[in-house]
Amino acid sequence: MSRGLFITFEGIDGAGKSSHIALLADALRSAGREVVLTREPGGTPLAEKLRELLLHEPMDALTEVLLAFAARRDHLRQVIGPALAKGQVVLCDRFTDATFAYQGAGRGFDGEVLSYMELLVQTGIGLNGDLMLSPDVTLWFDLPPMVAAARLADARAPDRFESEPLAFFSRVAQGYADRAAQAPQRIARIDAALEREQVAAQVLAAVAARGWLGAGPHG
Ligand code: TMP
């Protein structure tokens, strides 16, 4: 089975992943890869509408989970699955680890229910057939919540998540750390507290270490 690569980016709000996604896209294109840049929640017209609701309308944790997974299902069927089937590299700003971190650890939503929904939503997509489609690698931008909060303080008007207190982001950060401990092969920790160039170097190194920045198809 030959398919593209699915790379996701995670971290608490303010961890600074956005500019590094663009840099990695450039590096992959220079290596001859076709790159699709996308994000969650979002990535399709329907999922972008669900994103607006999720980020701005008051709702409980179960509703957040349902909207996040509904958006994800559409995104997988319309964008991610077809791109991987064509051999493209999909760079996705957030994916299911965010649901475990934000709704699971942050809101206290049941992790077993999340695992079941993950299986349900990520199965039956494109080339993967009856296997659950998961990222090939996840770059986790790890930054102390205090530092991230200071960075966010200068940002645009905060959404529902960005306006949560520090204690919420401490739980979310712990959620990411737990997830990384459970999937050490897939989740690569990026020390996002370093200087921008050093962060960029870690991102490239994590991808190059898997042999994905050289020429030729991924084996
Ligand atoms: P962004 O601002 O990095 O694009 O992310 C949007 C927000 O949505 C961010 O605060 C994290 C949150 N989020 C969840 O709570 N659950 C999810 O499943 C996803 C994908 C994002």
Side-chain angles (χ1 to χ4, degrees), residues 64-202:
E64 284 182 4
V65 167
L66 294 170
L67 291 184
F69 274 117
R72 184 160 301 136
R73 178 75 183 174
D74 194 54
H75 193 205
L76 282 164
R77 286 174 50 85
Q78 307 287 345
V79 173
I80 298 173
L84 295 177
K86 283 187 247 168
Q88 297 170 342
V89 181
V90 176
L91 301 185
C92 189
D93 187 347
R94 300 191 183 282
F95 193 64
T96 305
D97 295 309
T99 316
F100 278 88
Y102 281 77
Q103 281 66 49
R107 303 276 194 233
F109 192 86
D110 190 326
E112 281 186 28
V113 177
L114 293 182
S115 293
Y116 178 69
M117 293 187 73
E118 175 186 36
L119 183 66
L120 190 68
V121 166
Q122 293 168 218
T123 301
I125 305 293
L127 281 179
N128 246 17
D130 48 6
L131 295 177
M132 181 170 92
L133 194 154
S134 293
D136 294 297
V137 70
T138 297
L139 302 172
W140 164 42
F141 287 66
D142 187 22
L143 187 70
M146 286 270 274
V147 181
R151 287 187 186 175
L152 271 185
D154 308 328
R156 53 186 161 62
D159 61 38
R160 282 178 64 241
F161 294 102
E162 289 164 346
S163 45
E164 286 287 342
L166 192 59
F168 176 80
F169 287 106
S170 297
R171 293 196 298 276
V172 173
Q174 187 59 49
Y176 277 124
D178 293 345
R179 210 60 191 148
Q182 287 158 14
Q185 303 293 330
R186 172 174 69 84
I187 302 181
R189 178 179 176 272
I190 304 295
D191 183 350
L194 299 178
E195 291 299 320
R196 200 182 144 84
E197 290 72 24
Q198 292 170 291
V199 175
Q202 290 179 78

